[in-house]
Amino acid sequence: MKTRIKFASYRNCGGKSVRAAYAIYRNKHVVFCGTSNGENGPGGSTINYAESVVEAIALTEGINPRQYVFYDLQTQAGYQSHKPGQFSFNRLSAGFLGIGCRPCEMGWTEGYCEEQILEDFSQWIWGDGPRGELVNLPVLAGALPDLSPAEVQKGRVFLPSVTIDV
């Protein structure tokens, strides 16, 4: 059964409004992906704008983000580096400012993406391209080629896999 996809708007580095698609699984897991690779100018990578995306989803849903777990699904719709059928999936870890609900200091853990999520977000994973084999790209592949996992972990980037049940 396909999960209902919703949309939340956030501002990119140019101050333009861009959208993220999202779905909530089991009342506590929120998966989102960028939908604007150049639609209104550069969309800005969702991993770099995660605080803004989480805040936009929380405002749209009227939820306290401290009570949810957020995941960023990076696809060709939001990243020029991803081709149709390629994706990266990350669980976010957030700090929050004071007693409020404004997220800050995001970190992420690479993880395994469940089949249901891939099906639900397939239009952003594939775009207009033909369907073929799905490829899970490590988000750090090529980005930090000279760092060992221990060095990456010191930089608040965590590598062990995570899984969510949908």
Side-chain angles (χ1 to χ4, degrees):
M1 183 172 131
K2 196 163 179 146
T3 304
R4 182 172 171 236
I5 302 293
K6 300 177 185 178
F7 298 90
S9 296
Y10 64 101
R11 300 264 176 213
N12 66 10
C13 61
K16 295 189 179 183
S17 180
V18 291
R19 294 188 329 160
Y22 71 94
I24 300 175
Y25 298 90
R26 298 185 69 199
N27 296 318
K28 70 176 187 173
H29 298 282
V30 181
V31 176
F32 64 84
C33 78
T35 63
S36 336
N37 188 357
E39 180 179 295
N40 290 323
S45 67
T46 48
I47 204 76
N48 290 330
Y49 288 92
E51 294 92 343
S52 297
V53 176
V54 168
E55 187 174 29
I57 292 170
L59 289 171
T60 300
E61 290 292 318
I63 60 172
N64 179 343
R66 292 176 187 250
Q67 297 174 348
Y68 290 77
V69 181
F70 289 84
Y71 302 82
D72 185 4
L73 175 63
Q74 297 107 40
T75 70
Q76 59 84 37
Y79 289 80
Q80 293 177 348
S81 61
H82 287 56
K83 295 181 179 16
Q86 296 178 337
F87 67 93
S88 301
F89 188 71
N90 298 277
R91 177 182 174 160
L92 303 177
S93 57
F96 292 88
L97 292 174
I99 59 171
C101 296
R102 186 168 197 152
C104 67
E105 299 183 19
M106 289 288 186
W108 64 91
T109 305
E110 291 189 42
Y112 172 78
C113 188
E114 298 290 335
E115 292 289 327
Q116 182 65 52
I117 295 168
L118 295 173
E119 180 182 320
D120 293 341
F121 286 87
S122 64
Q123 79 180 83
W124 294 284
I125 294 170
W126 291 104
D128 296 329
R131 306 293 164 117
E133 182 181 355
L134 284 169
V135 178
N136 186 354
L137 297 175
V139 73
L140 299 177
L144 303 172
D146 299 328
L147 297 181
S148 70
E151 290 171 311
V152 171
Q153 199 166 26
K154 285 180 195 170
R156 301 195 62 215
V157 178
F158 305 100
L159 297 177
S161 293
V162 294
T163 303
I164 68 170
D165 297 318
V166 291

